[in-house]
């Protein structure tokens, strides 16, 4: 349970096994090998899933980070592990944002797998991050940023998506089929820069 609570505190992050072991706290923190064993068990029980890093060909000299993100198969498990309630979630905007990201990953993973697609995340040595890369077996790909919805946050997300498009070698990977910012509410529209903004309620086959 201490490990599950640690996973909940670090949901949708690249926390290492060493970080998780330390985060269990107290004088009897879990050993790193024990954490690895427990994580393997949680994966086999479909409690936890990993979002692997995207392997992309880059034009820039940036180096790709390879650490996976760890998420619960159902984000409500993280909420239950933290004993969070609506008032606490409303007060902790950062945690709520990570849980919303986990929710969107869960939904998009289901839709993508039905079409033979896989989900990844992107992060490089310059600090550029993109929450989700959807890649199909034929090589087509979509980049997705997840934001709760403020206009400034959407602008920041769109900027990250456009930077990613310029950074990858599209001569090898091809241009993205779409650049998408998923929000918690509102309506869908396409920005002048070509980035699509879509509420989570619009997702689906």
């Amino acid at each position: 349970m201490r490990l599950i609570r640690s996973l909940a505190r670090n949901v949708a992050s690249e926390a290492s096994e060493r970080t998780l072991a330390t985060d269990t706290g107290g004088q009897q923190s879990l050993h790193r090998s024990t954490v690895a064993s427990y994580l393997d068990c949680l994966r086999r029980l479909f409690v936890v899933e990993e979002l692997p890093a995207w392997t992309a060909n880059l034009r820039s000299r940036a180096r790709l980070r390879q650490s996976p993100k760890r998420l619960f198969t159902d984000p409500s498990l993280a909420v239950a592990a933290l004993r969070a309630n609506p008032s606490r979630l409303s007060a902790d905007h950062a945690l709520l944002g990570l849980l919303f990201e986990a929710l969107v990953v869960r939904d998009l993973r289901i839709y993508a797998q039905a079409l033979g697609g896989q989900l990844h995340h992107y992060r490089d040595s310059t600090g550029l991050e993109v929450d989700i890369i959807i890649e199909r077996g034929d090589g087509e790909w979509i980049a997705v940023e997840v934001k709760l919805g403020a206009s400034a946050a959407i602008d920041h997300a769109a900027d990250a998506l456009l930077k990613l498009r310029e950074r990858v070698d599209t001569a090898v990977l091809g241009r993205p089929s779409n650049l998408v910012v998923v929000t918690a509410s509102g309506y869908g529209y396409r920005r002048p820069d070509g980035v699509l903004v879509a509420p989570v309620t619009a997702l689906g086959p």
Side-chain angles (χ1 to χ4, degrees):
M1 285 305 300
R2 282 190 291 152
L3 176 60
I4 288 175
R5 285 193 291 270
S6 177
L7 287 167
R9 285 191 293 270
N10 293 282
V11 67
S13 77
E14 300 168 67
S16 66
E17 292 174 358
R18 186 184 302 277
T19 297
L20 294 172
T22 302
D23 190 50
T24 55
Q27 296 180 345
Q28 297 183 1
S29 297
L30 296 177
H31 191 275
R32 185 176 174 182
S33 62
T34 303
V35 169
S37 176
Y38 285 0
L39 286 173
D40 181 61
C41 181
L42 291 171
R43 283 191 293 266
R44 287 187 285 111
L45 291 171
F46 300 103
V47 174
V48 171
E49 286 186 309
E50 290 187 347
L51 187 66
W54 193 39
T55 303
N57 293 285
L58 301 182
R59 290 189 182 124
S60 72
R61 296 181 180 179
R63 296 185 307 276
L64 294 173
R65 303 301 191 190
Q66 298 298 326
S67 300
K69 287 185 177 182
R70 294 187 178 90
L71 305 102
F72 289 92
T73 52
D74 186 337
S76 65
L77 295 173
V79 177
L82 295 173
R83 297 184 179 180
N85 54 35
S87 60
R88 179 185 171 189
L89 290 176
S90 297
D92 192 338
H93 193 78
L95 175 60
L96 185 59
L98 290 171
L99 291 169
F100 179 58
E101 179 184 334
L103 175 72
V104 174
V105 169
R106 182 200 65 181
D107 289 357
L108 288 180
R109 194 193 300 268
I110 293 169
Y111 301 141
Q113 286 177 343
L115 299 172
Q118 294 182 330
L119 266 63
H120 307 267
H121 77 94
Y122 176 93
R123 182 168 177 257
D124 65 32
S125 57
T126 70
L128 179 63
E129 298 183 46
V130 171
D131 296 326
I132 305 167
I133 305 293
I134 307 171
E135 189 173 36
R136 293 200 326 185
D138 60 6
E140 288 195 26
W141 60 283
I142 297 172
V144 181
E145 274 279 87
V146 181
K147 297 297 178 186
L148 282 174
S151 59
I154 292 173
D155 289 341
H156 180 75
D159 184 56
L161 293 170
L162 294 169
K163 284 181 179 178
L164 172 67
R165 187 177 65 186
E166 294 304 315
R167 195 158 293 184
V168 300
D169 190 346
T170 53
V172 177
L173 295 171
R175 291 178 66 82
S177 299
N178 231 324
L179 302 174
V180 185
V181 179
V182 176
T183 61
S185 59
Y187 56 91
Y189 60 96
R190 191 172 294 277
R191 293 162 47 102
D193 56 19
V195 175
L196 178 66
V197 179
V200 66
T201 51
L203 300 181

